[in-house]
C-alpha cells in the first residue's frame, strides 16, 4: 500500500509539473523547449524543476534575478498528486484508474486556466468529453443501453447551454456547457444533474460570502498595513467569475462518491424525501 501511494503521488507531481507548462504556454507558444525565467530569461536547471521541493528551496523566487515564482506551480503539482492518489487508490480496475488519472490532469488544467482567463479551451473540454465517454462505456456499458450513455452528456449540458443562449453569454459561458457535456458522460444523468446543482450552490456561496465582501476585507487589511486593496476594490456582483472550477469541484465530489461507493445520490434523495 505504501509503495502504491508513493507511485501515484509521485506520478501526479510529475504530471502536475507538466500541466504548469501547458497552462502557462497554451495559446502563447509551443510546449516544447526548455523552461526559463520570464523576467531574466535564464534557462532553468534540472534541480530548479523538481516539483514542489524546488519552489520551497528557492523560497518562491528565481535563483538568478529573484523574480517571484507564482505559488500556482506547487499548488497545481499538489492538486494533481492528490487527484492521482484519490483515483489511483479507488477500488476499481486499473484501466479505469489510468483513464481517471488522465481525466484528472485535464480537469486541473481547465480549472486553473479558467481561473486565470475565464476561458475553457475547446480542445481541453472536448478531450475531457472524449475520455469521459470512453470511461463511461467501460464502467456503465454493461448496465445501461449505449444510447442512454450517449444522451447523458447532452442532457446534462443542456441547462447550461440554455442559460448561455437566452443570456447571450452574460450569465454562462459556452465553455461551461462544453465542460458539462463530459460531466454528463462521466457521471450519468442523475449524478450529472446533482453535480450541476452542487456547482451552483458552491458558486453562490463563494460569490456571496467570500468574493462580495472581499473589497472590504482587503481595505481592512490595508488599514492594518498588511496588504493593499487595489486588486479587488472593483469587484461587484456584476464582475465575471469563472464557473468552470465550481463545476469541476462538484464533479470530483460526486465522482469520488461513486468510485468509493459512498452513494451520495441515494443519501441525498433520502434526505430530500425526509424533508
Amino acid at each position: 500500500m505504501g509503495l502504491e501511494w508513493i507511485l501515484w503521488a509521485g506520478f501526479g507531481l510529475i504530471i502536475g509539473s507538466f500541466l504548469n507548462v501547458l497552462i502557462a504556454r497554451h495559446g502563447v507558444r509551443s510546449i516544447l523547449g526548455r523552461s526559463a525565467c520570464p523576467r531574466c530569461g535564464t534557462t532553468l536547471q534540472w534541480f530548479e524543476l523538481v516539483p514542489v521541493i524546488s519552489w520551497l528551496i528557492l523560497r518562491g523566487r528565481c535563483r538568478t534575478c529573484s523574480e517571484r515564482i507564482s505559488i500556482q506551480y506547487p499548488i497545481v503539482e499538489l492538486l494533481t498528486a492528490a487527484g492521482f492518489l484519490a483515483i489511483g487508490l479507488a477500488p476499481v480496475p486499473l484501466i479505469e484508474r489510468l483513464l481517471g488519472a488522465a481525466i484528472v490532469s485535464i480537469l486541473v488544467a481547465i480549472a486553473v486556466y479558467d481561473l486565470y482567463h475565464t476561458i475553457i479551451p475547446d480542445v481541453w473540454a472536448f478531450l475531457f468529453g472524449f475520455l469521459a465517454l470512453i470511461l463511461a462505456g467501460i464502467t456503465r456499458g454493461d448496465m445501461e443501453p449505449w444510447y442512454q450513455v450517449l444522451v447523458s452528456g447532452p442532457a446534462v449540458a443542456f441547462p447550461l447551454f440554455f442559460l448561455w443562449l437566452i443570456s447571450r453569454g452574460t450569465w454562462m459561458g459556452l465553455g461551461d456547457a462544453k465542460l458539462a457535456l463530459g460531466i454528463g458522460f462521466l457521471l450519468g444523468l442523475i449524478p450529472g444533474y446533482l453535480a450541476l446543482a452542487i456547482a451552483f450552490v458552491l458558486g453562490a456561496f463563494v460569490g456571496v460570502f467570500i468574493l462580495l465582501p472581499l473589497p472590504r476585507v482587503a481595505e481592512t487589511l490595508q488599514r492594518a498595513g498588511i496588504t493593499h486593496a487595489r486588486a479587488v476594490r472593483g469587484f461587484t456582483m456584476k464582475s465575471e467569475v469563472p464557473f468552470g472550477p465550481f463545476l469541476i469541484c462538484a464533479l470530483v465530489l460526486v465522482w469520488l462518491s461513486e468510485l468509493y461507493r459512498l452513494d451520495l445520490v441515494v443519501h441525498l434523495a433520502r434526505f430530500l424525501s425526509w424533508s
Side-chain angles (χ1 to χ4, degrees):
M1 177 63 74
L3 180 59
E4 191 175 13
W5 278 64
I6 293 172
L7 287 175
W8 282 107
F11 192 42
L13 288 173
I14 294 171
I15 296 299
S17 181
F18 169 75
L19 292 179
N20 277 318
V21 175
L22 184 65
I23 294 164
R25 299 187 186 183
H26 180 77
V28 178
R29 67 187 184 95
S30 170
I31 62 172
L32 302 177
R34 298 284 299 277
S35 296
C37 173
R39 180 182 177 185
C40 67
T42 302
T43 300
L44 303 182
Q45 302 300 314
W46 68 267
F47 52 83
E48 297 174 278
L49 299 172
V50 179
V52 181
I53 296 174
S54 291
W55 190 90
L56 291 173
I57 292 176
L58 293 171
R59 298 181 180 179
R61 291 185 178 275
C62 172
R63 185 171 59 95
T64 305
C65 68
S66 298
E67 172 75 358
R68 285 190 179 276
I69 303 171
S70 173
I71 197 172
Q72 167 205 315
Y73 292 93
I75 287 177
V76 166
E77 290 159 359
L78 290 171
L79 275 177
T80 310
F84 273 46
L85 264 178
I87 298 299
L89 300 179
V92 295
L94 179 60
I95 183 62
E96 295 181 27
R97 288 181 282 164
L98 291 175
L99 277 171
I103 288 173
V104 164
S105 302
I106 298 169
L107 292 177
V108 170
I110 288 174
V112 176
Y113 195 88
D114 195 23
L115 279 172
Y116 272 104
H117 305 286
T118 63
I119 294 172
I120 298 176
D122 284 347
V123 63
W124 297 357
F126 289 136
L127 179 58
F128 163 56
F130 176 70
L131 291 177
L133 184 58
I134 292 176
L135 186 55
I138 294 173
T139 57
R140 308 203 316 271
D142 295 334
M143 299 179 291
E144 300 178 18
W146 64 269
Y147 62 84
Q148 190 169 326
V149 175
L150 287 175
V151 167
S152 61
V156 172
F158 178 75
L160 301 190
F161 174 77
F162 181 72
L163 288 175
W164 170 80
L165 186 64
I166 64 174
S167 69
R168 298 181 180 181
T170 58
W171 299 347
M172 187 69 58
L174 184 57
D176 298 318
K178 296 172 184 176
L179 179 63
L181 185 71
I183 293 175
F185 287 144
L186 183 62
L187 298 179
L189 197 59
I190 302 303
Y193 283 138
L194 175 60
L196 289 188
I198 293 173
F200 277 107
V201 171
L202 288 174
F205 178 85
V206 170
V208 172
F209 294 103
I210 298 178
L211 295 181
L212 192 60
L214 194 57
R216 292 187 179 181
V217 173
E219 288 172 4
T220 302
L221 293 175
Q222 182 188 29
R223 286 195 294 269
I226 298 174
T227 185
H228 63 82
R230 239 177 289 169
V232 294
R233 186 175 292 146
F235 184 85
T236 69
M237 286 299 288
K238 294 184 179 180
S239 299
E240 186 176 5
V241 177
F243 192 56
F246 299 114
L247 283 171
I248 290 171
C249 287
L251 159 63
V252 170
L253 178 64
V254 178
W255 186 20
L256 291 180
S257 169
E258 298 280 310
L259 287 175
Y260 285 92
R261 311 291 193 269
L262 300 179
D263 296 326
L264 182 61
V265 176
V266 175
H267 293 317
L268 183 61
R270 289 175 180 172
F271 173 78
L272 293 176
S273 65
W274 291 337
S275 301

